[in-house]
Amino acid sequence: MNATVEQLAPVEQQASTTWVVAALYQFKHVEDAAALQQKLLELVNLLKLCGTLIVADEGINGTVAGSRQGIDLLHAFLLEHGFNSMEYKESESSEKPFRKMKIKLKKEIVTLGVEVKPRDLVGHYLDPKEWNELIAQDDVILVDTRNDYEFKAGTFKGAIDPKTESFREFPEYVKQNLEQHKGKKIAMFCTGGIRCEKSTSLLLQEGFEEVYHLKGGILKYLEENPVDESLWEGECSVFDGRTAVTHGIEEGQNIKCHACGWPLLPAEVELPSYEHGVSCKYCIEKTTEKQKEGFRMRQSQIAAAKRKRL
């Protein structure tokens, strides 16, 4: 992309157009993260993208969606700014997957809360075939590094659920549950691979020796691995309007509760506890009637905004 941001004409996203969804990250030293954030803000506004990008001194991370042209121009911009080793995956959505675009400036591109060195110290990367062979072994401890609601939507057969509500809790989980297994093979996985860059770095830093992770994460596995060879069970929770995807990165059947974020099976949506945007079986007892009224008001505003766009 040789044109500057100022020279680019705005890109229009037609309502009927399929949205291209790009999930990306790279650990790379960023000299001036604030300046990069500003350039990205100017660019994504011109390209009419939606989603979230996180910029930090340690790199970039996020998921964005837009037209084919818009995503290509963003990709070219990042390549020109030195992000030429990105873990980068694309899929499609029939509807706009994010309400708006955010560029966040943070200390970490994925928050672990413990200083690690993912560019220098990282576990053994495995492709889907190698991954299947490893996790089929009896002496391997398979750990899902994602949060509890993501585990609920789907996971690999035999995987351990750390029952964490955020990635910040993972170091404590390691201390309490994995320290006694330092001599064993530890295999870890996450949605797109980024959390495992840090979790494997953490384990190696703590003295673990045989640490492995699935390169490209679950999304790459579901994209490349044939269904008849898959060890994945259920759907993979994603952070956009699709809620979850399955093999071939096809949209799944899970529906997200917009009050608490938990993925719901079709049968759970039929329960009396479910009210769109207000409650589900997992959160109905956790919120007050006043909070539920607030959720209902928010939902009516969203519906009104959609009608206005039609």
mmCIF file of all heavy atoms in Angstrom, residues 77-121:
data_model
loop_
_atom_site.group_PDB
_atom_site.id
_atom_site.type_symbol
_atom_site.label_atom_id
_atom_site.label_comp_id
_atom_site.label_asym_id
_atom_site.label_seq_id
_atom_site.Cartn_x
_atom_site.Cartn_y
_atom_site.Cartn_z
ATOM 1 N N PHE A 77 -1.107 -2.098 5.232
ATOM 2 C CA PHE A 77 -0.603 -1.066 6.145
ATOM 3 C C PHE A 77 0.238 -1.705 7.246
ATOM 4 O O PHE A 77 1.340 -1.232 7.572
ATOM 5 C CB PHE A 77 -1.779 -0.290 6.741
ATOM 6 C CG PHE A 77 -1.398 0.671 7.829
ATOM 7 C CD1 PHE A 77 -1.037 1.980 7.539
ATOM 8 C CD2 PHE A 77 -1.394 0.270 9.170
ATOM 9 C CE1 PHE A 77 -0.686 2.874 8.551
ATOM 10 C CE2 PHE A 77 -1.036 1.151 10.180
ATOM 11 C CZ PHE A 77 -0.681 2.450 9.876
ATOM 12 N N LEU A 78 -0.263 -2.776 7.840
ATOM 13 C CA LEU A 78 0.463 -3.433 8.927
ATOM 14 C C LEU A 78 1.772 -4.049 8.433
ATOM 15 O O LEU A 78 2.792 -3.984 9.119
ATOM 16 C CB LEU A 78 -0.425 -4.496 9.576
ATOM 17 C CG LEU A 78 -1.633 -3.949 10.360
ATOM 18 C CD1 LEU A 78 -2.555 -5.080 10.796
ATOM 19 C CD2 LEU A 78 -1.177 -3.142 11.565
ATOM 20 N N LEU A 79 1.740 -4.637 7.246
ATOM 21 C CA LEU A 79 2.967 -5.193 6.677
ATOM 22 C C LEU A 79 4.016 -4.106 6.478
ATOM 23 O O LEU A 79 5.196 -4.296 6.782
ATOM 24 C CB LEU A 79 2.669 -5.891 5.345
ATOM 25 C CG LEU A 79 1.870 -7.196 5.419
ATOM 26 C CD1 LEU A 79 1.506 -7.670 4.013
ATOM 27 C CD2 LEU A 79 2.662 -8.280 6.146
ATOM 28 N N GLU A 80 3.575 -2.963 5.993
ATOM 29 C CA GLU A 80 4.494 -1.850 5.759
ATOM 30 C C GLU A 80 5.074 -1.299 7.063
ATOM 31 O O GLU A 80 6.149 -0.704 7.068
ATOM 32 C CB GLU A 80 3.786 -0.727 5.002
ATOM 33 C CG GLU A 80 3.564 -1.044 3.529
ATOM 34 C CD GLU A 80 2.999 0.148 2.778
ATOM 35 O OE1 GLU A 80 2.773 1.205 3.397
ATOM 36 O OE2 GLU A 80 2.770 0.015 1.563
ATOM 37 N N HIS A 81 4.373 -1.519 8.159
ATOM 38 C CA HIS A 81 4.842 -1.032 9.460
ATOM 39 C C HIS A 81 5.535 -2.130 10.259
ATOM 40 O O HIS A 81 5.627 -2.056 11.493
ATOM 41 C CB HIS A 81 3.681 -0.422 10.248
ATOM 42 C CG HIS A 81 3.294 0.947 9.749
ATOM 43 N ND1 HIS A 81 2.577 1.132 8.587
ATOM 44 C CD2 HIS A 81 3.541 2.197 10.255
ATOM 45 C CE1 HIS A 81 2.390 2.433 8.399
ATOM 46 N NE2 HIS A 81 2.971 3.089 9.386
ATOM 47 N N GLY A 82 6.033 -3.142 9.561
ATOM 48 C CA GLY A 82 6.895 -4.135 10.190
ATOM 49 C C GLY A 82 6.209 -5.350 10.769
ATOM 50 O O GLY A 82 6.872 -6.232 11.322
ATOM 51 N N PHE A 83 4.894 -5.443 10.637
ATOM 52 C CA PHE A 83 4.181 -6.621 11.155
ATOM 53 C C PHE A 83 4.113 -7.693 10.057
ATOM 54 O O PHE A 83 3.051 -8.014 9.538
ATOM 55 C CB PHE A 83 2.784 -6.221 11.632
ATOM 56 C CG PHE A 83 2.797 -5.333 12.843
ATOM 57 C CD1 PHE A 83 2.688 -3.959 12.704
ATOM 58 C CD2 PHE A 83 2.941 -5.869 14.116
ATOM 59 C CE1 PHE A 83 2.714 -3.126 13.823
ATOM 60 C CE2 PHE A 83 2.977 -5.045 15.234
ATOM 61 C CZ PHE A 83 2.861 -3.675 15.086
ATOM 62 N N ASN A 84 5.283 -8.212 9.734
ATOM 63 C CA ASN A 84 5.378 -9.154 8.616
ATOM 64 C C ASN A 84 5.464 -10.604 9.054
ATOM 65 O O ASN A 84 5.724 -11.494 8.242
ATOM 66 C CB ASN A 84 6.572 -8.801 7.717
ATOM 67 C CG ASN A 84 7.833 -8.537 8.521
ATOM 68 O OD1 ASN A 84 7.936 -8.971 9.669
ATOM 69 N ND2 ASN A 84 8.771 -7.822 7.932
ATOM 70 N N SER A 85 5.247 -10.864 10.338
ATOM 71 C CA SER A 85 5.200 -12.251 10.834
ATOM 72 C C SER A 85 3.921 -12.476 11.631
ATOM 73 O O SER A 85 3.899 -13.206 12.609
ATOM 74 C CB SER A 85 6.426 -12.539 11.704
ATOM 75 O OG SER A 85 7.623 -12.405 10.970
ATOM 76 N N MET A 86 2.851 -11.833 11.197
ATOM 77 C CA MET A 86 1.594 -11.931 11.927
ATOM 78 C C MET A 86 1.007 -13.338 11.860
ATOM 79 O O MET A 86 1.125 -14.014 10.840
ATOM 80 C CB MET A 86 0.556 -10.963 11.342
ATOM 81 C CG MET A 86 0.757 -9.516 11.687
ATOM 82 S SD MET A 86 -0.609 -8.480 11.066
ATOM 83 C CE MET A 86 -0.317 -8.542 9.287
ATOM 84 N N GLU A 87 0.393 -13.749 12.942
ATOM 85 C CA GLU A 87 -0.514 -14.892 12.897
ATOM 86 C C GLU A 87 -1.823 -14.293 12.387
ATOM 87 O O GLU A 87 -2.439 -13.458 13.051
ATOM 88 C CB GLU A 87 -0.693 -15.497 14.293
ATOM 89 C CG GLU A 87 -1.473 -16.790 14.301
ATOM 90 C CD GLU A 87 -0.780 -17.921 13.566
ATOM 91 O OE1 GLU A 87 0.424 -18.138 13.804
ATOM 92 O OE2 GLU A 87 -1.451 -18.568 12.729
ATOM 93 N N TYR A 88 -2.218 -14.666 11.186
ATOM 94 C CA TYR A 88 -3.302 -13.966 10.494
ATOM 95 C C TYR A 88 -4.277 -14.973 9.912
ATOM 96 O O TYR A 88 -3.889 -15.877 9.180
ATOM 97 C CB TYR A 88 -2.698 -13.099 9.378
ATOM 98 C CG TYR A 88 -3.700 -12.272 8.605
ATOM 99 C CD1 TYR A 88 -4.019 -10.979 9.016
ATOM 100 C CD2 TYR A 88 -4.318 -12.779 7.461
ATOM 101 C CE1 TYR A 88 -4.926 -10.204 8.300
ATOM 102 C CE2 TYR A 88 -5.236 -12.016 6.747
ATOM 103 C CZ TYR A 88 -5.532 -10.733 7.171
ATOM 104 O OH TYR A 88 -6.445 -9.973 6.480
ATOM 105 N N LYS A 89 -5.569 -14.830 10.264
ATOM 106 C CA LYS A 89 -6.596 -15.751 9.764
ATOM 107 C C LYS A 89 -7.816 -14.965 9.330
ATOM 108 O O LYS A 89 -8.207 -13.988 9.980
ATOM 109 C CB LYS A 89 -7.000 -16.741 10.861
ATOM 110 C CG LYS A 89 -5.910 -17.726 11.244
ATOM 111 C CD LYS A 89 -6.308 -18.577 12.426
ATOM 112 C CE LYS A 89 -6.263 -17.808 13.721
ATOM 113 N NZ LYS A 89 -4.907 -17.407 14.123
ATOM 114 N N GLU A 90 -8.431 -15.402 8.237
ATOM 115 C CA GLU A 90 -9.637 -14.759 7.744
ATOM 116 C C GLU A 90 -10.814 -15.729 7.733
ATOM 117 O O GLU A 90 -10.642 -16.931 7.564
ATOM 118 C CB GLU A 90 -9.437 -14.222 6.320
ATOM 119 C CG GLU A 90 -8.551 -13.001 6.245
ATOM 120 C CD GLU A 90 -8.522 -12.396 4.840
ATOM 121 O OE1 GLU A 90 -9.185 -12.983 3.932
ATOM 122 O OE2 GLU A 90 -7.866 -11.366 4.653
ATOM 123 N N SER A 91 -12.000 -15.178 7.928
ATOM 124 C CA SER A 91 -13.237 -15.932 7.787
ATOM 125 C C SER A 91 -14.289 -14.945 7.282
ATOM 126 O O SER A 91 -13.965 -13.795 6.979
ATOM 127 C CB SER A 91 -13.646 -16.564 9.127
ATOM 128 O OG SER A 91 -13.728 -15.581 10.143
ATOM 129 N N GLU A 92 -15.540 -15.381 7.208
ATOM 130 C CA GLU A 92 -16.587 -14.511 6.686
ATOM 131 C C GLU A 92 -17.794 -14.494 7.606
ATOM 132 O O GLU A 92 -18.038 -15.442 8.353
ATOM 133 C CB GLU A 92 -17.018 -14.973 5.281
ATOM 134 C CG GLU A 92 -15.934 -14.817 4.238
ATOM 135 C CD GLU A 92 -16.412 -15.208 2.846
ATOM 136 O OE1 GLU A 92 -17.508 -15.832 2.746
ATOM 137 O OE2 GLU A 92 -15.720 -14.887 1.864
ATOM 138 N N SER A 93 -18.530 -13.405 7.556
ATOM 139 C CA SER A 93 -19.761 -13.266 8.328
ATOM 140 C C SER A 93 -20.823 -12.672 7.407
ATOM 141 O O SER A 93 -20.548 -11.724 6.656
ATOM 142 C CB SER A 93 -19.541 -12.365 9.544
ATOM 143 O OG SER A 93 -20.751 -12.181 10.249
ATOM 144 N N SER A 94 -22.026 -13.226 7.488
ATOM 145 C CA SER A 94 -23.115 -12.736 6.635
ATOM 146 C C SER A 94 -23.681 -11.412 7.146
ATOM 147 O O SER A 94 -24.329 -10.682 6.405
ATOM 148 C CB SER A 94 -24.232 -13.783 6.555
ATOM 149 O OG SER A 94 -24.699 -14.101 7.862
ATOM 150 N N GLU A 95 -23.430 -11.111 8.421
ATOM 151 C CA GLU A 95 -23.900 -9.857 9.005
ATOM 152 C C GLU A 95 -22.740 -9.101 9.635
ATOM 153 O O GLU A 95 -21.698 -9.688 9.930
ATOM 154 C CB GLU A 95 -24.968 -10.126 10.070
ATOM 155 C CG GLU A 95 -26.233 -10.777 9.513
ATOM 156 C CD GLU A 95 -27.284 -10.967 10.573
ATOM 157 O OE1 GLU A 95 -27.042 -10.554 11.728
ATOM 158 O OE2 GLU A 95 -28.351 -11.527 10.258
ATOM 159 N N LYS A 96 -22.925 -7.816 9.870
ATOM 160 C CA LYS A 96 -21.887 -7.011 10.506
ATOM 161 C C LYS A 96 -21.572 -7.599 11.879
ATOM 162 O O LYS A 96 -22.439 -7.656 12.754
ATOM 163 C CB LYS A 96 -22.365 -5.564 10.651
ATOM 164 C CG LYS A 96 -21.294 -4.625 11.184
ATOM 165 C CD LYS A 96 -21.809 -3.189 11.253
ATOM 166 C CE LYS A 96 -20.731 -2.245 11.779
ATOM 167 N NZ LYS A 96 -21.202 -0.843 11.848
ATOM 168 N N PRO A 97 -20.328 -8.066 12.095
ATOM 169 C CA PRO A 97 -20.026 -8.795 13.332
ATOM 170 C C PRO A 97 -19.702 -7.938 14.551
ATOM 171 O O PRO A 97 -19.676 -8.445 15.672
ATOM 172 C CB PRO A 97 -18.803 -9.638 12.935
ATOM 173 C CG PRO A 97 -18.154 -8.863 11.841
ATOM 174 C CD PRO A 97 -19.232 -8.122 11.130
ATOM 175 N N PHE A 98 -19.431 -6.649 14.354
ATOM 176 C CA PHE A 98 -19.146 -5.747 15.474
ATOM 177 C C PHE A 98 -19.947 -4.462 15.291
ATOM 178 O O PHE A 98 -20.165 -4.020 14.160
ATOM 179 C CB PHE A 98 -17.659 -5.385 15.544
ATOM 180 C CG PHE A 98 -16.740 -6.579 15.658
ATOM 181 C CD1 PHE A 98 -16.096 -7.072 14.532
ATOM 182 C CD2 PHE A 98 -16.529 -7.195 16.872
ATOM 183 C CE1 PHE A 98 -15.246 -8.163 14.623
ATOM 184 C CE2 PHE A 98 -15.682 -8.287 16.977
ATOM 185 C CZ PHE A 98 -15.040 -8.774 15.852
ATOM 186 N N ARG A 99 -20.335 -3.849 16.402
ATOM 187 C CA ARG A 99 -21.119 -2.618 16.311
ATOM 188 C C ARG A 99 -20.281 -1.426 15.879
ATOM 189 O O ARG A 99 -20.741 -0.549 15.152
ATOM 190 C CB ARG A 99 -21.768 -2.325 17.666
ATOM 191 C CG ARG A 99 -22.869 -3.304 18.043
ATOM 192 C CD ARG A 99 -23.439 -2.982 19.406
ATOM 193 N NE ARG A 99 -24.012 -1.637 19.440
ATOM 194 C CZ ARG A 99 -24.315 -0.993 20.558
ATOM 195 N NH1 ARG A 99 -24.058 -1.538 21.730
ATOM 196 N NH2 ARG A 99 -24.839 0.208 20.508
ATOM 197 N N LYS A 100 -19.017 -1.362 16.341
ATOM 198 C CA LYS A 100 -18.182 -0.214 16.014
ATOM 199 C C LYS A 100 -16.714 -0.623 15.998
ATOM 200 O O LYS A 100 -16.377 -1.782 16.210
ATOM 201 C CB LYS A 100 -18.416 0.919 17.007
ATOM 202 C CG LYS A 100 -18.249 0.528 18.466
ATOM 203 C CD LYS A 100 -18.679 1.672 19.379
ATOM 204 C CE LYS A 100 -18.594 1.265 20.843
ATOM 205 N NZ LYS A 100 -19.021 2.360 21.753
ATOM 206 N N MET A 101 -15.837 0.349 15.771
ATOM 207 C CA MET A 101 -14.397 0.104 15.706
ATOM 208 C C MET A 101 -13.711 0.765 16.884
ATOM 209 O O MET A 101 -13.978 1.924 17.214
ATOM 210 C CB MET A 101 -13.822 0.677 14.401
ATOM 211 C CG MET A 101 -12.359 0.342 14.173
ATOM 212 S SD MET A 101 -12.062 -1.377 13.710
ATOM 213 C CE MET A 101 -10.566 -1.727 14.654
ATOM 214 N N LYS A 102 -12.825 -0.006 17.543
ATOM 215 C CA LYS A 102 -12.044 0.522 18.664
ATOM 216 C C LYS A 102 -10.571 0.218 18.438
ATOM 217 O O LYS A 102 -10.220 -0.898 18.026
ATOM 218 C CB LYS A 102 -12.488 -0.116 19.980
ATOM 219 C CG LYS A 102 -13.953 0.055 20.330
ATOM 220 C CD LYS A 102 -14.283 -0.731 21.586
ATOM 221 C CE LYS A 102 -15.777 -0.681 21.906
ATOM 222 N NZ LYS A 102 -16.116 -1.542 23.074
ATOM 223 N N ILE A 103 -9.724 1.189 18.722
ATOM 224 C CA ILE A 103 -8.273 0.980 18.739
ATOM 225 C C ILE A 103 -7.821 1.305 20.161
ATOM 226 O O ILE A 103 -7.857 2.463 20.580
ATOM 227 C CB ILE A 103 -7.522 1.890 17.744
ATOM 228 C CG1 ILE A 103 -8.150 1.839 16.360
ATOM 229 C CG2 ILE A 103 -6.046 1.496 17.699
ATOM 230 C CD1 ILE A 103 -7.905 0.568 15.589
ATOM 231 N N LYS A 104 -7.423 0.283 20.911
ATOM 232 C CA LYS A 104 -7.084 0.464 22.320
ATOM 233 C C LYS A 104 -5.568 0.466 22.524
ATOM 234 O O LYS A 104 -4.860 -0.353 21.948
ATOM 235 C CB LYS A 104 -7.706 -0.651 23.161
ATOM 236 C CG LYS A 104 -9.223 -0.687 23.115
ATOM 237 C CD LYS A 104 -9.757 -1.807 23.989
ATOM 238 C CE LYS A 104 -11.283 -1.847 23.983
ATOM 239 N NZ LYS A 104 -11.805 -2.942 24.853
ATOM 240 N N LEU A 105 -5.109 1.383 23.352
ATOM 241 C CA LEU A 105 -3.702 1.451 23.733
ATOM 242 C C LEU A 105 -3.571 0.837 25.121
ATOM 243 O O LEU A 105 -4.159 1.330 26.086
ATOM 244 C CB LEU A 105 -3.228 2.907 23.738
ATOM 245 C CG LEU A 105 -1.737 3.153 23.959
ATOM 246 C CD1 LEU A 105 -0.910 2.561 22.830
ATOM 247 C CD2 LEU A 105 -1.474 4.659 24.085
ATOM 248 N N LYS A 106 -2.819 -0.265 25.229
ATOM 249 C CA LYS A 106 -2.709 -0.974 26.499
ATOM 250 C C LYS A 106 -1.263 -1.343 26.807
ATOM 251 O O LYS A 106 -0.377 -1.224 25.956
ATOM 252 C CB LYS A 106 -3.569 -2.246 26.480
ATOM 253 C CG LYS A 106 -5.070 -1.979 26.476
ATOM 254 C CD LYS A 106 -5.835 -3.251 26.764
ATOM 255 C CE LYS A 106 -7.313 -2.995 26.951
ATOM 256 N NZ LYS A 106 -8.042 -4.227 27.334
ATOM 257 N N LYS A 107 -1.063 -1.833 28.019
ATOM 258 C CA LYS A 107 0.265 -2.269 28.446
ATOM 259 C C LYS A 107 0.622 -3.605 27.798
ATOM 260 O O LYS A 107 1.776 -3.871 27.463
ATOM 261 C CB LYS A 107 0.310 -2.392 29.964
ATOM 262 C CG LYS A 107 1.685 -2.756 30.513
ATOM 263 C CD LYS A 107 1.668 -2.822 32.031
ATOM 264 C CE LYS A 107 3.042 -3.220 32.569
ATOM 265 N NZ LYS A 107 3.043 -3.305 34.059
ATOM 266 N N GLU A 108 -0.384 -4.481 27.640
ATOM 267 C CA GLU A 108 -0.179 -5.790 27.024
ATOM 268 C C GLU A 108 -1.225 -6.002 25.936
ATOM 269 O O GLU A 108 -2.355 -5.533 26.065
ATOM 270 C CB GLU A 108 -0.336 -6.918 28.053
ATOM 271 C CG GLU A 108 0.625 -6.888 29.209
ATOM 272 C CD GLU A 108 0.370 -8.023 30.185
ATOM 273 O OE1 GLU A 108 0.688 -9.188 29.849
ATOM 274 O OE2 GLU A 108 -0.175 -7.764 31.274
ATOM 275 N N ILE A 109 -0.865 -6.745 24.888
ATOM 276 C CA ILE A 109 -1.850 -7.018 23.837
ATOM 277 C C ILE A 109 -2.766 -8.170 24.231
ATOM 278 O O ILE A 109 -3.827 -8.349 23.640
ATOM 279 C CB ILE A 109 -1.180 -7.283 22.460
ATOM 280 C CG1 ILE A 109 -0.190 -8.450 22.530
ATOM 281 C CG2 ILE A 109 -0.531 -6.018 21.934
ATOM 282 C CD1 ILE A 109 0.374 -8.838 21.156
ATOM 283 N N VAL A 110 -2.365 -8.972 25.194
ATOM 284 C CA VAL A 110 -3.246 -9.917 25.862
ATOM 285 C C VAL A 110 -2.784 -9.937 27.317
ATOM 286 O O VAL A 110 -1.615 -10.144 27.607
ATOM 287 C CB VAL A 110 -3.221 -11.319 25.208
ATOM 288 C CG1 VAL A 110 -1.828 -11.923 25.204
ATOM 289 C CG2 VAL A 110 -4.217 -12.255 25.876
ATOM 290 N N THR A 111 -3.701 -9.664 28.245
ATOM 291 C CA THR A 111 -3.311 -9.362 29.615
ATOM 292 C C THR A 111 -3.134 -10.609 30.470
ATOM 293 O O THR A 111 -4.111 -11.256 30.857
ATOM 294 C CB THR A 111 -4.336 -8.429 30.268
ATOM 295 O OG1 THR A 111 -4.493 -7.259 29.450
ATOM 296 C CG2 THR A 111 -3.870 -8.008 31.648
ATOM 297 N N LEU A 112 -1.885 -10.924 30.774
ATOM 298 C CA LEU A 112 -1.548 -12.018 31.674
ATOM 299 C C LEU A 112 -1.260 -11.485 33.075
ATOM 300 O O LEU A 112 -1.510 -12.146 34.073
ATOM 301 C CB LEU A 112 -0.336 -12.786 31.136
ATOM 302 C CG LEU A 112 0.155 -13.986 31.944
ATOM 303 C CD1 LEU A 112 -0.925 -15.073 31.989
ATOM 304 C CD2 LEU A 112 1.442 -14.554 31.337
ATOM 305 N N GLY A 113 -0.708 -10.271 33.136
ATOM 306 C CA GLY A 113 -0.411 -9.656 34.424
ATOM 307 C C GLY A 113 0.921 -10.064 35.016
ATOM 308 O O GLY A 113 1.296 -9.611 36.097
ATOM 309 N N VAL A 114 1.651 -10.935 34.318
ATOM 310 C CA VAL A 114 2.980 -11.387 34.751
ATOM 311 C C VAL A 114 3.934 -11.155 33.587
ATOM 312 O O VAL A 114 3.610 -11.460 32.437
ATOM 313 C CB VAL A 114 2.970 -12.887 35.122
ATOM 314 C CG1 VAL A 114 4.381 -13.380 35.416
ATOM 315 C CG2 VAL A 114 2.064 -13.131 36.326
ATOM 316 N N GLU A 115 5.090 -10.618 33.864
ATOM 317 C CA GLU A 115 6.041 -10.326 32.790
ATOM 318 C C GLU A 115 6.657 -11.608 32.235
ATOM 319 O O GLU A 115 7.241 -12.405 32.973
ATOM 320 C CB GLU A 115 7.148 -9.404 33.285
ATOM 321 C CG GLU A 115 8.060 -8.915 32.162
ATOM 322 C CD GLU A 115 9.057 -7.873 32.626
ATOM 323 O OE1 GLU A 115 8.862 -7.303 33.725
ATOM 324 O OE2 GLU A 115 10.025 -7.624 31.887
ATOM 325 N N VAL A 116 6.479 -11.832 30.943
ATOM 326 C CA VAL A 116 7.076 -12.978 30.252
ATOM 327 C C VAL A 116 7.727 -12.468 28.960
ATOM 328 O O VAL A 116 7.585 -11.306 28.607
ATOM 329 C CB VAL A 116 6.026 -14.063 29.927
ATOM 330 C CG1 VAL A 116 5.508 -14.718 31.200
ATOM 331 C CG2 VAL A 116 4.858 -13.477 29.131
ATOM 332 N N LYS A 117 8.420 -13.349 28.266
ATOM 333 C CA LYS A 117 9.123 -12.948 27.045
ATOM 334 C C LYS A 117 8.721 -13.845 25.872
ATOM 335 O O LYS A 117 9.472 -14.712 25.446
ATOM 336 C CB LYS A 117 10.638 -13.026 27.271
ATOM 337 C CG LYS A 117 11.125 -12.111 28.382
ATOM 338 C CD LYS A 117 12.619 -12.272 28.612
ATOM 339 C CE LYS A 117 13.112 -11.354 29.720
ATOM 340 N NZ LYS A 117 14.564 -11.521 29.983
ATOM 341 N N PRO A 118 7.516 -13.633 25.329
ATOM 342 C CA PRO A 118 7.027 -14.502 24.263
ATOM 343 C C PRO A 118 7.819 -14.436 22.964
ATOM 344 O O PRO A 118 7.729 -15.352 22.141
ATOM 345 C CB PRO A 118 5.585 -14.032 24.055
ATOM 346 C CG PRO A 118 5.574 -12.634 24.569
ATOM 347 C CD PRO A 118 6.537 -12.610 25.704
ATOM 348 N N ARG A 119 8.605 -13.368 22.779
ATOM 349 C CA ARG A 119 9.431 -13.303 21.560
ATOM 350 C C ARG A 119 10.701 -14.134 21.704
ATOM 351 O O ARG A 119 11.307 -14.539 20.706
ATOM 352 C CB ARG A 119 9.804 -11.846 21.247
ATOM 353 C CG ARG A 119 8.633 -10.964 20.882
ATOM 354 C CD ARG A 119 9.077 -9.676 20.201
ATOM 355 N NE ARG A 119 9.999 -8.898 21.018
ATOM 356 C CZ ARG A 119 9.631 -7.982 21.910
ATOM 357 N NH1 ARG A 119 8.339 -7.739 22.109
ATOM 358 N NH2 ARG A 119 10.521 -7.307 22.590
ATOM 359 N N ASP A 120 11.108 -14.408 22.938
ATOM 360 C CA ASP A 120 12.372 -15.104 23.170
ATOM 361 C C ASP A 120 12.197 -16.505 23.743
ATOM 362 O O ASP A 120 13.040 -17.384 23.522
ATOM 363 C CB ASP A 120 13.242 -14.296 24.145
ATOM 364 C CG ASP A 120 13.457 -12.861 23.688
ATOM 365 O OD1 ASP A 120 13.698 -12.670 22.482
ATOM 366 O OD2 ASP A 120 13.360 -11.947 24.521
ATOM 367 N N LEU A 121 11.122 -16.715 24.490
ATOM 368 C CA LEU A 121 10.932 -17.978 25.192
ATOM 369 C C LEU A 121 9.503 -18.446 24.956
ATOM 370 O O LEU A 121 8.552 -17.880 25.492
ATOM 371 C CB LEU A 121 11.181 -17.758 26.696
ATOM 372 C CG LEU A 121 11.337 -18.984 27.583
ATOM 373 C CD1 LEU A 121 12.593 -19.775 27.202
ATOM 374 C CD2 LEU A 121 11.405 -18.563 29.052
#
